[in-house]
Amino acid sequence: DTGAINQLELTAPAGYSVINPLSTLVQEIIASDDTQTVDQAETVLSDALGITLGEGEDLSSYDPISDVSENAVANRFATLQIATVLAVAAAADEDDASGESNIEAVALENLVGIVTASDGKVSLDEETLGDILSDDSVISLVSNEDLAVVTTAVDAMETIKQNADSAEGPVD
């Protein structure tokens, strides 16, 4: 825990024992398509983010912080990338003095749309981040400075995640 104020609104499907960015995305995938089961939503999300869990594990009890598996670092960084993007959106909501901003909700909806439309791993590159943090008119919901900062941060996390993916054995 960093001690930083958490401005993210995190949720989880009924029956989950954890609440984190992954559980929030599973909940939003189900909410966006009521034909999706929890298992289907978890599979879609895991495939899109490259989350690899151990035999018999699922996202309903998965805590990326306590994960000590060989996939721990990659899983943590995938979760951290999502949290970072949503935190930037939540901060932009907080900065909007009108009190009517829904930037975090729009970013979450956009992210779910990208994840559910993917046929495999989603790359959180500059273009995808721009899509997540834009409205229907393709107008950025965050400042150019915030978009540059989140892009740099997510790129750095992706590099660490890729290095962890290529390492042999558990990496902490």
Side-chain angles (χ1 to χ4, degrees):
D1 185 14
T2 64
I5 296 171
N6 181 11
Q7 297 174 329
L8 295 177
E9 183 178 324
L10 300 173
T11 60
Y16 266 48
S17 61
V18 296
I19 296 178
N20 57 45
L22 300 176
S23 67
T24 300
L25 282 171
V26 170
Q27 176 66 38
E28 291 300 316
I29 289 169
I30 294 166
S32 73
D33 178 359
D34 60 5
T35 66
Q36 289 273 343
T37 66
V38 171
D39 288 342
Q40 290 169 327
E42 287 184 3
T43 298
V44 166
L45 181 62
S46 294
D47 289 349
L49 297 182
I51 302 288
T52 304
L53 302 178
E55 185 71 33
E57 289 184 307
D58 61 34
L59 293 176
S60 69
S61 60
Y62 179 68
D63 177 11
I65 295 172
S66 64
D67 184 352
V68 294
S69 73
E70 64 185 37
N71 302 306
V73 172
N75 290 347
R76 280 187 203 128
F77 277 101
T79 305
L80 185 56
Q81 287 174 312
I82 299 305
T84 301
V85 172
L86 295 177
V88 167
D93 267 343
E94 287 294 315
D95 290 345
D96 180 12
S98 74
E100 298 177 14
S101 179
N102 63 350
I103 296 169
E104 183 181 358
V106 171
L108 187 55
E109 181 181 319
N110 290 345
L111 180 56
V112 166
I114 290 166
V115 164
T116 57
S118 74
D119 282 334
K121 190 147 178 342
V122 171
S123 174
L124 292 176
D125 55 22
E126 185 174 3
E127 181 181 348
T128 304
L129 292 172
D131 291 344
I132 293 168
L133 296 170
S134 296
D135 65 13
D136 290 338
S137 304
V138 194
I139 296 173
S140 182
L141 299 169
V142 298
S143 69
N144 288 337
E145 180 181 341
D146 286 347
L147 183 57
V149 167
V150 75
T151 299
T152 300
V154 169
D155 283 349
M157 289 178 232
E158 186 63 28
T159 300
I160 293 168
K161 187 169 71 170
Q162 287 174 357
N163 289 339
D165 285 345
S166 64
E168 291 188 23
V171 179
D172 290 317

